[in-house]
Amino acid sequence: MSENTIHNNDYAVIGKSVPRIDGREKVTGAAKYTGDLKFPNMLYGKILTSPHAHARILSIDTSEAEKLAGVKAVITHKDVPSLKYGISPARWDENIFCIDKVRFVGDKVAAVACIDEETCYKALKLIKVEYEVLPAVLDPLTAMDEGQPLVHEEYERNINTEIHQEFGDMENAFKNAHHIRKDRFVGQRTYQSPIEPHSAISMWQDGKLTIYSSTQSPHYFQYYIAREFGMKMGDVRILKTYVGGGFGGKLEPTGLEFAGAVLAKNTGRPVKMFYDRAEMFAHNRGRHAQYMEITSAVDKDGKILGCHTNFIMDGGAYTSLGIASAYYAGALLPLTYEFDNYKFDMFRVYTNLPACGAQRGHGAPQPKYAFECHLDEIARDLNIDPLEIRIRNARRPNTVTPNDFGINSCEIKSCLERAGAMSGWAEKKGKLPKGRGIGVATGSFVSGAGYPIYRTNLPHASAMIKVHEDGTAATLYTGAVDIGQGSDTVLSQMAAEAMGFVYEQMKIVAADTETTPHDFGAYASRQTLMSGAAVKQAGEEVKRQLLDMAASMLQRPVYDLDVKAGEIFSISDSSVSLSFSDAAREFFVRRGPLVGKGSYTPPKLGGKFKGAAVGTSPAYSFCAQVSEVQIDEETGVIDVLDVWDVHDCGMVINPGLLHGQVHGALFMGLGESIWEQVLFDDKGKIVNANLAEYRLPTALDMPKVHSGLIDSYEPAGPWGVKEVGEGSTNPTMGCFANAIYDAMGVRINSLPLTYEKVWRALKEKREKEQAQK
Amino acid sequence: MQAIVDKEGIKRYLISLTVNGDTYTVVVKANTMLVNVLREELNLTGTKKGCETGDCGSCTVIMDGKPVNSCIILALEADGKEITTIEGVAQNGVLDKLQESFLNQTAVQCGYCTPGMILSAKALLTRNPNPTEHEIREAIAGNLCRCTGYVNIVKAIKEAAGQPVDEH
Ligand code: FES
Ligand code: FES
């Protein structure tokens, strides 16, 4: 793999692959995740879920369960607030426990707290729920038909979200087109599958509720829990320990926090709640299955004149984060290629299946797969090289998308050119032996959402730095959430850089709503830019105060002083020096704690139309990917040989961690491309809710990865940063589909691109060819 | 094996196992899993649970030299066995070369798979100090990682085996 030069020359701490701040704890097994915690007198809790996809609850009898020795509490909807929740205020549609009916296999009905796990399972079996089974809506494509049962009575025709947006002059674009093409694609439901299962430990003390949770956003949990229980946010403390991956699946409260809070209150004891792997699948909130129709008009050079996307997505039984997924699906599509005329129609429908939410890349990866395949088809119609048609349409910096997203830095053209050069595109395209093919696709993503999930004027991120009394260490307090991506490390590097301090002496306290200042958390790839901006400001405030003290200690004007890597120096006289520690210690003696603080609120972004806020961001990442595959004609087996990934993600703070994000995104893209799919039986029950049959790629499946960077600087980000973790998920599925086409001349129009689908497509092609002879 | 029967008629067995060099005697039921003895009785929570069905490898420990999924090993089967968990890999606070190489190669993200990965790798390098890349991939094929794509994990194992590692 090659790595391009990055802006690291002038910096002491950022731009370097320093080791993770939590690395040692993680390699020794000392790192504690929520499930590893134990508290004195702690109980264990489990949730009883629905065995039916759609059923009326006629009665719930908990008396037998209550009698069992070791059972300390049993709760149902009667014992909890009936206020509906969800993360999208416009569509609050979920209850802590179902009241009159259940809406999917796995819907929450009751919960128990017991002295141990085994007693929980026994107690759950003793709860008698009488159901009247109702006809279920399992097919999103017919869910909107007249006469279908309703998942939620208040939502006619099972329409959860409906979007119709039109920008520019579509009619004219299509009238003047040289070529118009329509294609249809289908995406599948996948699941984030973090390796750590969800868990939450709740406890009460003097009216205050504390919850340790495996969460991506303590703040949102705090907000929703306080709201649900009518508490002051100050009386709810949410904190995380280490989190074993999230990928969007741990962004919203589960039943575990709500039920655990009530069980802990009723028993007066800490309660640990957890999902096992099958329950994780049932809770789900993974990627929506989307049905995507795309029609584009192009000129004779393949330049896109206008595009119409017409999508349906299977939302499952609740809104979850899906309203944002629905908007993202279409809103982010015009990022990578420049065109002025765009129409986006979407229906997100309710079905009696587990709810879908935000999975890495949010609504964007499947539409991107569809569009990248569609663009290759257009290129073929016009006899243009696929790489070339992308370069011709590539977005330029300082442009505005038809849906009013302002793009600052954008090096997608260079990404494409570089990926082409690294992969040897020109030598390979059209010249590879039969069975081998090469494909290209692009991706892009927001670096943080322009608006928070609920309406609030709080800053999006804030940070505090406290230099220790003797000046030898500094602690960063941030609400940002490290779920494995490395934000604790990156933000500590940023803090040290901004203060003129050293990384090795940084400590961090993160993601605790009581001890750390507010931050919205880990979603929408926001932390490097947004939390980073707050941290930079806090560091600069420390630096200002420190240099002011140094000026008085050294009897020199403050403008002549600077500090870097723990040493204060004079700009005019190299003989003058003072250590950061000595100046910081003196500061404490004379003036008290040396503290810096910072906060970040994005500027006002986006247009004025309905839904204009979703997809806005201060900055967007861009990337291009080329992959080479080998297909076995007999069996349809797909072997991905090499992948070249080139990124424009602004200034890179920690190249090691950044490439780690690229590898992980490619891995997830590979799984979703070929194997991963949540499957249901005809009663709406998941048939592969385990890690053997829901097939994640193993170490034997991963191709060679070559990850490259384009030098870029984003004016909206601190030190020029922008995101990488999600945008890099976007190109993979389309890239592989295009490579398969190149290898075999068959287009697989639905995900996953399984061996069987390839085999069937090859068989059909052969039969057609034979018939023509 | 010594057994006692409780009031409800459930049999419990006294087993003795050596974990990270120390011998422990614990009382278990016939269906108690090794992973729960390690985590709940001995408080060795470095051994993780990701699935409890033998599919993810997070609970990997080394038992008599072989990597095993401790979530599908009965505690009874571990009676008299020598077990190494992640807590026993570093010696006297000094990291093992695999732990060092995992840090060097940025092979850790969320860290949930890391203990299991390191133990599978350790068992490999003990029986085969100079594995090929394919052998490395085979040795960790039962350990799922959702974060890293295994790219840097494979590099870390190569580094620990003293093999050259490409820069990226
Ligand atoms: S927890 Fe043992 S293999 Fe997953
Ligand atoms: S580092 Fe997260 S699962 Fe491997």
Side-chain angles (χ1 to χ4, degrees):
Chain A
M1 263 181 263
S2 72
E3 186 197 323
N4 200 28
T5 50
I6 42 176
H7 292 94
N8 63 357
N9 311 333
D10 305 332
Y11 301 119
V13 190
I14 60 171
K16 300 187 175 23
S17 298
V18 301
R20 292 184 72 99
I21 201 159
D22 51 9
R24 198 182 161 99
E25 268 189 280
K26 287 179 172 175
V27 298
T28 55
K32 294 270 190 212
Y33 298 75
T34 303
D36 299 334
L37 299 181
K38 267 190 195 163
F39 292 88
N41 212 21
M42 188 174 84
L43 296 170
Y44 296 79
K46 289 296 289 181
I47 293 177
L48 178 74
T49 59
S50 155
H52 305 295
H54 198 191
R56 203 169 303 290
I57 299 175
L58 301 178
S59 67
I60 306 176
D61 177 2
T62 60
S63 56
E64 287 302 309
E66 279 158 30
K67 278 186 224 145
L68 183 71
V71 175
K72 299 295 168 188
V74 184
I75 54 173
T76 68
H77 67 88
K78 294 202 186 84
D79 308 288
V80 302
S82 59
L83 190 65
K84 288 194 170 154
Y85 71 90
I87 212 139
S88 177
R91 302 275 190 291
W92 276 322
D93 58 4
E94 202 163 353
N95 281 111
I96 298 180
F97 294 119
C98 298
I99 298 174
D100 39 27
K101 65 177 193 171
V102 292
R103 295 183 172 83
F104 71 97
V105 177
D107 217 351
K108 309 178 293 291
V109 177
V112 298
C114 307
I115 52 161
D116 57 24
E117 201 180 327
E118 207 175 319
T119 310
C120 288
Y121 292 112
K122 285 186 191 153
L124 292 181
K125 283 210 184 98
L126 294 174
I127 300 175
K128 298 210 170 48
V129 189
E130 220 187 317
Y131 292 103
E132 175 198 334
V133 177
L134 302 170
V137 184
L138 300 176
D139 176 9
L141 293 182
T142 54
M144 288 185 286
D145 292 356
E146 287 305 331
Q148 283 286 316
L150 293 179
V151 179
H152 294 264
E153 276 66 30
E154 345 37 310
Y155 290 85
E156 276 173 38
R157 291 174 56 220
N158 290 313
I159 297 170
N160 165 260
T161 304
E162 187 174 347
I163 306 167
H164 304 286
Q165 297 180 335
E166 190 166 341
F167 309 98
D169 185 348
M170 286 292 284
E171 204 187 309
N172 204 29
F174 275 72
K175 204 168 68 205
N176 296 328
H178 165 76
H179 180 56
I180 293 172
R181 186 180 170 99
K182 178 185 294 215
D183 287 297
R184 288 192 185 85
F185 302 89
V186 181
Q188 86 279 38
R189 177 192 282 253
T190 59
Y191 176 54
Q192 292 93 348
S193 305
I195 305 298
E196 180 211 18
H198 304 244
S199 60
I201 303 176
S202 306
M203 59 197 87
W204 292 81
Q205 201 175 23
D206 301 330
K208 191 181 105 181
L209 171 63
T210 298
I211 305 180
Y212 288 82
S213 172
S214 48
T215 167
Q216 295 180 223
S217 176
H219 174 81
Y220 283 127
F221 280 33
Q222 181 194 26
Y223 171 76
Y224 280 95
I225 283 160
R227 180 184 165 275
E228 191 68 19
F229 296 119
M231 296 170 70
K232 295 192 185 72
M233 277 177 80
D235 288 336
V236 179
R237 178 187 189 186
I238 311 288
L239 63 160
K240 60 142 204 122
T241 50
Y242 285 113
V243 174
F247 316 106
K250 293 176 180 164
L251 180 52
E252 52 194 313
T254 61
L256 301 178
E257 291 80 17
F258 291 126
V262 175
L263 289 167
K265 184 156 199 185
N266 293 1
T267 57
R269 295 168 69 167
V271 176
K272 179 194 271 190
M273 307 280 298
F274 49 97
Y275 281 148
D276 64 22
R277 184 57 57 178
E279 290 163 342
M280 289 169 76
F281 272 96
H283 170 70
N284 214 268
R285 320 283 156 150
R287 189 164 331 278
H288 295 73
Q290 292 190 57
Y291 300 82
M292 301 165 286
E293 181 186 271
I294 303 185
T295 316
S296 295
V298 295
D299 72 10
K300 62 178 189 340
D301 301 319
K303 186 92 194 60
I304 305 161
L305 303 173
C307 175
H308 177 200
T309 54
N310 187 12
F311 297 165
I312 292 174
M313 69 181 5
D314 174 8
Y318 295 103
T319 301
S320 177
L321 286 154
I323 185 169
S325 324
Y327 276 100
Y328 270 133
L332 299 187
L333 207 67
L335 288 174
T336 49
Y337 306 117
E338 254 179 71
F339 48 87
D340 297 329
N341 310 298
Y342 182 50
K343 184 167 189 271
F344 168 42
D345 293 302
M346 160 70 84
F347 288 96
R348 180 183 189 270
V349 299
Y350 280 123
T351 57
N352 290 114
L353 297 172
C356 296
Q359 182 170 339
R360 199 174 199 161
H362 215 155
Q366 291 182 0
K368 201 58 185 146
Y369 148 77
F371 194 83
E372 292 292 328
C373 290
H374 173 68
L375 192 56
D376 255 37
E377 293 295 330
I378 291 172
R380 198 159 52 90
D381 292 345
L382 301 182
N383 205 12
I384 302 172
D385 177 83
L387 183 62
E388 178 57 31
I389 199 170
R390 287 172 173 79
I391 291 173
R392 283 183 198 170
N393 284 291
R395 178 163 298 285
R396 291 160 300 168
N398 306 312
T399 49
V400 177
T401 67
N403 47 348
D404 287 344
F405 302 157
I407 312 290
N408 308 316
S409 61
C410 173
E411 297 296 332
I412 188 167
K413 183 161 172 278
S414 311
C415 290
L416 281 161
E417 286 164 350
R418 174 81 82 75
M422 280 166 71
S423 61
W425 179 273
E427 300 84 65
K428 288 177 181 165
K429 179 66 193 171
K431 299 172 192 127
L432 292 170
K434 182 146 195 263
R436 194 177 272 222
I438 189 163
V440 60
T442 61
S444 175
F445 204 66
V446 300
S447 306
Y451 296 84
I453 288 176
Y454 69 93
R455 213 176 282 259
T456 173
N457 59 359
L458 287 174
H460 288 218
S462 60
M464 234 159 52
I465 299 171
K466 184 194 82 174
V467 180
H468 293 214
E469 294 74 22
D470 70 348
T472 59
T475 303
L476 168 64
Y477 296 84
T478 167
V481 185
D482 196 330
I483 54 173
Q485 80 285 46
S487 60
D488 282 357
T489 304
V490 164
L491 295 175
S492 295
Q493 283 180 272
M494 287 173 149
E497 184 70 48
M499 285 189 287
F501 196 49
V502 293
Y503 169 74
E504 291 70 23
Q505 287 305 102
M506 284 303 303
K507 321 284 166 199
I508 184 162
V509 176
D512 172 351
T513 59
E514 190 157 291
T515 58
T516 67
H518 157 79
D519 188 294
F520 284 130
Y523 67 95
S525 291
R526 52 181 295 288
Q527 296 187 148
T528 305
L529 190 148
M530 295 189 174
S531 311
V535 167
K536 182 167 188 265
Q537 207 181 65
E540 284 165 353
E541 197 174 297
V542 168
K543 176 171 160 176
R544 248 194 327 275
Q545 300 173 77
L546 184 82
L547 291 182
D548 191 57
M549 176 54 57
S552 123
M553 288 166 76
L554 295 166
Q555 297 290 310
R556 302 189 78 87
V558 71
Y559 59 75
D560 183 44
L561 297 176
D562 203 351
V563 57
K564 202 169 188 170
E567 291 300 326
I568 297 166
F569 57 93
S570 151
I571 294 159
S572 64
D573 179 354
S574 62
S575 72
V576 175
S577 84
L578 175 66
S579 77
F580 181 108
S581 310
D582 288 346
R585 186 179 185 288
E586 191 60 22
F587 186 100
F588 189 80
V589 170
R590 290 200 217 167
R591 299 181 190 167
L594 175 50
V595 175
K597 58 189 175 41
S599 69
Y600 174 80
T601 302
K604 218 177 150 13
L605 296 164
K608 295 230 173 345
F609 55 94
K610 183 165 186 264
V614 191
T616 57
S617 177
Y620 297 86
S621 71
F622 292 92
C623 63
Q625 187 180 83
V626 171
S627 61
E628 194 171 333
V629 303
Q630 173 83 45
I631 308 294
D632 185 281
E633 201 175 345
E634 294 280 295
T635 59
V637 167
I638 303 160
D639 199 1
V640 182
L641 305 172
D642 276 283
V643 176
W644 296 267
D645 241 323
V646 182
H647 289 266
D648 157 18
C649 42
M651 159 76 191
V652 177
I653 303 298
N654 186 317
L657 290 173
L658 178 121
H659 289 292
Q661 285 299 299
V662 173
H663 302 156
L666 171 67
F667 161 86
M668 200 172 259
L670 174 73
E672 286 189 58
S673 294
I674 306 179
W675 300 287
E676 294 183 33
Q677 181 165 24
V678 179
L679 297 166
F680 297 91
D681 66 13
D682 61 0
K683 302 263 182 315
K685 184 172 185 294
I686 305 178
V687 296
N688 58 346
N690 60 68
L691 292 175
E693 290 155 299
Y694 182 90
R695 165 93 152 75
L696 306 186
T698 71
L700 290 165
D701 301 313
M702 271 298 280
K704 281 204 215 77
V705 195
H706 314 264
S707 160
L709 293 173
I710 296 292
D711 220 356
S712 99
Y713 182 90
E714 169 54 51
W719 293 287
V721 304
K722 47 186 184 173
E723 84 88 37
V724 71
E726 294 190 80
S728 43
T729 316
N730 282 335
T732 305
M733 299 188 273
C735 190
F736 291 172
N738 288 340
I740 292 170
Y741 186 90
D742 187 51
M744 303 308 295
V746 293
R747 170 65 61 194
I748 313 298
N749 279 343
S750 70
L751 292 167
L753 315 162
T754 60
Y755 304 161
E756 183 186 335
K757 284 183 197 164
V758 173
W759 178 82
R760 282 190 193 286
L762 288 171
K763 184 163 163 273
E764 259 167 48
K765 187 175 171 232
R766 263 196 313 272
E767 284 164 2
K768 217 190 264 163
E769 280 165 3
Q770 232 127 52
Q772 273 161 11
K773 265 185 210 158
Chain B
M1 200 178 303
Q2 216 177 311
I4 39 173
V5 182
D6 70 14
K7 277 201 290 243
E8 282 150 42
I10 295 170
K11 247 193 190 171
R12 285 160 207 268
Y13 303 85
L14 198 61
I15 63 160
S16 156
L17 64 177
T18 305
V19 182
N20 305 328
D22 297 316
T23 303
Y24 299 87
T25 302
V26 288
V27 176
V28 301
K29 290 200 262 184
N31 63 357
T32 305
M33 291 298 169
L34 175 60
V35 67
N36 292 331
V37 172
L38 297 171
R39 288 176 55 85
E40 305 299 328
E41 303 286 324
L42 309 184
N43 215 6
L44 295 170
T45 53
T47 304
K48 302 300 180 205
K49 293 204 273 192
C51 69
E52 298 184 69
T53 48
D55 298 319
C56 75
S58 321
C59 62
T60 304
V61 299
I62 300 178
M63 187 161 91
D64 285 355
K66 285 206 195 67
V68 295
N69 289 329
S70 61
C71 72
I72 50 167
I73 298 276
L74 291 170
L76 290 177
E77 294 173 75
D79 186 36
K81 298 276 165 54
E82 295 252 356
I83 289 159
T84 304
T85 70
I86 190 66
E87 289 88 350
V89 174
Q91 295 293 324
N92 305 318
V94 181
L95 297 186
D96 184 84
K97 61 183 179 193
L98 269 164
Q99 291 170 312
E100 291 285 3
S101 68
F102 268 62
L103 294 180
N104 275 343
Q105 295 294 338
T106 326
V108 178
Q109 287 191 31
C110 81
Y112 204 77
C113 69
T114 308
M117 284 288 178
I118 289 178
L119 289 162
S120 287
K122 183 139 185 84
L124 168 71
L125 296 188
T126 309
R127 74 172 186 270
N128 178 0
N130 195 18
T132 62
E133 178 164 332
H134 188 76
E135 286 169 336
I136 292 174
R137 288 181 182 273
E138 256 176 359
I140 59 167
N143 293 82
L144 295 176
C145 172
R146 194 54 156 167
C147 302
T148 65
Y150 314 100
V151 179
N152 292 347
I153 292 175
V154 171
K155 283 185 206 160
I157 299 171
K158 282 188 177 174
E159 182 190 308
Q163 298 174 3
V165 175
D166 344 322
E167 221 215 297
H168 266 282

